[in-house]
Amino acid sequence: MSDSLEKWKRTHYSKEVNQDINGETVTLMGWIHEIRDLGGIIFILLRDRDGIIQVTAPSKKISTDFFKEIRKLKKEAVIAIKGSVQKSSKAPGGVEIIPDALKLLNEAKLPLPLDITEKVKAEIDTRLDARFLDLRKPTVSAIFKIKSRMLHSVRLFLEREGFIEVNTPKLVASATEGGTELFPITYFEREAFLGQSPQLYKQMMMSAGFDKVYEIAPIFRAEEHDTLRHLNEVISVDIEASFLDHEDVMNILERLVSTVLEEVQDNCETELKLLERDLFVPETPFERIDYDEVVDIVNSKGTLMRYGEDLSRAAEKAMGEFMDGYHFITGWPSDIKPFYVMPSDENPKKSYAFDLMYKDLEISSGARRVHKYDLLVERIKKQGLNPESFERYLAAFEYGIPPHAGWGLGSERFTMCITGVNNIRETVLFPRDRRRLTP
RNA sequence: GCCCUGGUGGUGUAGGGGCUAUCAUGCGGGCCUGUCGAGCCCGCGACUCGGGUUCAAAUCCCGGCCAGGGCGCCA
């Protein structure tokens, strides 16, 4: 029994083994998920990326030496198995592999730090400490297969809509957008920061004449939050589009959400089933509720909310009970939105900003942007910031920038909506939160 | 950062001033030819750390660290 692949090549994944190839010789590679040694017959559950297949070794059908080799195998060892596909009503899934040859490619240290078969559940902290093992669980990897498909669908959709993918810097100089929530780093002899949003760069691309851009990239926030919905490093899906207003980009967003959900539903059947998740594809347009109305609804539910405040957690929950699917909150007060958000023409106290909510979770926020230099400077000052710190950014507004609008969508929060997991840490391979910086 | 609750074998738990510290899973050994949460027998393995109270602390008290839940923060 060799520990080297030599000339062996995988011919099938477990999910490709079915009754149609009964009698064929196949080579499978993966991990030993479980072993059931009944004495005269040994069952090995072989797990690969796409599923689990049973390898059945009856002592009567194989040589004594080979049978002894199989008996020595341990959990989570990496093996390659060459064998024939055998139709059997007694096998899970109706097929099993009768082995002819085996390679033990690597062994696993025992006992394992957590139970991959999930007979005994582990806590999230234990799981994240041994994340590479945790990710071997089919229910855990399913979340990432769905996230992958979601991001793929997002790209397909935005490309169809005429967006150009861009990459903007994550090492930035300015802490003036609100200082405390940026992570400071050493940049040679200077101080720099990790970018909290591609916002200003996206807008500069509007001045550059790219018309429609998107970026899917990490953003970093140094807030000390410690909740099931926040992380300090997440992947943001950001778009910005010229000659469009807030209504136009809301329309793009709702069609994107609906299209992505449909494509995930069509392409991730196995994963959704593993997660026991019934997806529904929402109709567009999504319902829009004005901020004024939100204040009334929240107060009518017995939760205090003053006009001009952002939604507290209690207010979000009250709204989540009132509106259970995807919906927009529009008409936000200008004062609680960033300086680059365009105030409303009719009533400058209100703005053209919107949030996309799923139940009580905010998954995206966007707006029509200020594209006039003077107004932008005025709003920067009004929010207590220094226009000089934005010099390089503001220059883009002095040489002809079109009216534009955009949004940012939290990819992890969107993944939570799709998969139904309630802890955002579940949606990141190696999450970064207040306490966790490893692995 | 605040409030509440907790930290017991590798994992998940029961217990709660003195007795061999409970159970499941796991791991090691044995039996077993259709398992699919396999079964049966034998064995192994634990009280978060520091200080205090006490004849005696895993248990009570104080503090640290960490976790779970809730909140705050989230231009």
Side-chain angles (χ1 to χ4, degrees):
Chain A
M1 188 156 50
S2 163
D3 62 359
S4 150
L5 278 175
E6 291 162 338
K7 294 286 179 196
W8 284 38
K9 297 280 179 226
R10 170 190 269 148
T11 61
H12 295 74
Y13 272 101
S14 60
K15 70 171 179 189
E16 297 166 327
V17 176
N18 54 46
Q19 300 189 355
D20 298 342
I21 55 167
N22 183 236
E24 276 184 38
T25 296
V26 296
T27 304
L28 298 170
M29 299 187 184
W31 289 259
I32 295 177
H33 191 65
E34 275 189 81
I35 303 162
R36 296 194 195 99
D37 183 347
L38 272 65
I41 187 167
I42 301 172
F43 299 100
I44 288 176
L45 300 187
L46 176 69
R47 186 190 69 244
D48 61 24
R49 196 185 67 185
D50 292 341
I52 293 171
I53 181 102
Q54 177 165 289
V55 177
T56 303
S59 57
K60 273 190 182 164
K61 289 193 187 170
I62 63 179
S63 76
T64 312
D65 285 352
F66 189 30
F67 193 73
K68 279 182 185 163
E69 269 181 48
I70 291 171
R71 173 155 283 161
K72 279 189 227 151
L73 295 171
K74 306 280 184 198
K75 273 189 170 188
E76 293 306 316
V78 183
I79 59 167
I81 281 250
K82 201 174 280 191
S84 56
V85 177
Q86 183 70 243
K87 212 161 117 176
S88 166
S89 58
K90 287 178 261 177
V95 271
E96 59 193 7
I97 307 293
I98 310 297
D100 295 324
L102 169 85
K103 281 181 187 294
L104 176 59
L105 299 168
N106 223 146
E107 290 183 286
K109 194 167 114 183
L110 296 173
L112 300 162
L114 49 80
D115 173 20
I116 290 161
T117 65
E118 294 188 88
K119 274 176 232 161
V120 180
K121 297 270 181 197
E123 289 185 8
I124 187 84
D125 206 48
T126 306
R127 293 171 47 202
L128 292 175
D129 282 342
R131 189 58 152 164
F132 59 92
L133 282 176
D134 185 51
L135 288 160
R136 290 185 189 180
K137 296 175 189 165
T139 52
V140 176
S141 65
I143 295 167
F144 295 94
K145 289 174 190 162
I146 290 170
K147 189 179 185 184
S148 164
R149 177 64 225 194
M150 178 272 284
L151 288 170
H152 181 61
S153 288
V154 165
R155 284 197 168 88
L156 289 176
F157 178 88
L158 291 173
E159 295 285 343
R160 282 198 297 269
E161 295 280 323
F163 283 80
I164 293 171
E165 182 166 14
V166 297
N167 301 285
T168 65
K170 305 305 148 206
L171 293 171
V172 297
S174 176
T176 48
E177 292 173 53
T180 56
E181 67 275 5
L182 292 177
F183 284 109
I185 54 164
T186 302
Y187 192 73
F188 304 109
E189 68 282 2
R190 279 184 287 172
E191 184 182 50
F193 301 91
L194 294 176
Q196 60 169 185
S197 161
Q199 184 58 32
L200 308 184
Y201 293 103
K202 285 193 301 177
Q203 293 190 265
M204 287 163 85
M205 295 316 293
M206 298 301 96
S207 188
F210 276 47
D211 275 16
K212 292 177 174 178
V213 299
Y214 73 100
E215 176 165 17
I216 299 175
I219 58 171
F220 304 90
R221 308 222 160 157
E223 271 91 30
E224 299 201 348
H225 34 49
D226 199 359
T227 79
L228 300 178
R229 317 171 291 285
H230 291 90
L231 288 174
N232 298 290
E233 176 181 359
V234 294
I235 301 296
S236 175
V237 176
D238 263 274
I239 76 154
E240 204 66 34
S242 288
F243 309 106
L244 297 182
D245 66 14
H246 55 289
E247 293 288 351
D248 297 319
V249 294
M250 282 164 75
N251 176 261
I252 290 169
L253 180 54
E254 62 198 350
R255 285 188 295 112
L256 177 142
V257 167
S258 183
T259 303
V260 168
L261 288 170
E262 199 175 342
E263 292 186 13
V264 168
Q265 194 176 49
D266 290 347
N267 292 282
C268 300
E269 257 180 87
T270 314
E271 289 76 22
L272 290 167
K273 204 170 171 186
L274 269 172
L275 296 170
E276 295 174 351
R277 184 69 175 165
D278 280 322
L279 265 195
F280 84 103
V281 178
E283 298 282 316
T284 57
F286 297 164
E287 198 165 336
R288 278 117 168 105
I289 306 177
D290 190 88
Y291 175 87
D292 296 20
E293 212 181 317
V294 169
V295 176
D296 290 343
I297 293 165
V298 170
N299 282 106
S300 77
K301 293 261 170 193
T303 303
L304 178 69
M305 180 179 174
R306 290 192 197 83
Y307 189 91
E309 280 177 352
D310 207 343
L311 270 71
S312 67
R313 187 64 194 136
E316 281 181 346
K317 281 180 176 167
M319 279 308 294
E321 274 171 36
F322 187 78
M323 296 289 314
D324 64 344
Y326 290 92
H327 60 280
F328 285 106
I329 297 177
T330 59
W332 288 83
S334 291
D335 288 349
I336 53 169
K337 284 291 170 184
F339 62 81
Y340 49 77
V341 166
M342 181 69 99
S344 158
D345 295 331
E346 305 91 63
N347 174 10
K349 289 220 176 291
K350 296 196 59 150
S351 73
Y352 293 127
F354 59 86
D355 280 3
L356 176 63
M357 310 291 296
Y358 175 70
K359 297 180 178 171
D360 61 359
L361 185 67
E362 176 194 330
I363 62 170
S364 170
S365 85
R368 183 179 146 196
R369 320 296 193 187
V370 174
H371 65 288
K372 292 291 188 184
Y373 180 86
D374 292 343
L375 179 58
L376 197 54
V377 172
E378 187 191 313
R379 283 188 54 80
I380 288 172
K381 285 182 187 160
K382 209 172 165 183
Q383 301 221 346
L385 300 169
N386 181 3
E388 279 175 31
S389 315
F390 297 93
E391 208 183 345
R392 300 286 183 201
Y393 161 69
L394 285 169
F397 291 75
E398 292 185 287
Y399 299 93
I401 188 170
H404 59 282
W407 44 254
L409 168 73
S411 74
E412 284 76 19
R413 287 191 174 182
F414 191 28
T415 303
M416 290 171 79
C417 301
I418 299 171
T419 58
V421 300
N422 68 348
N423 188 339
I424 195 165
R425 280 160 261 251
E426 297 272 9
T427 68
V428 178
L429 293 171
F430 301 101
R432 292 290 174 259
D433 63 26
R434 180 72 185 86
R435 293 193 178 84
R436 184 174 288 276
L437 196 54
T438 57

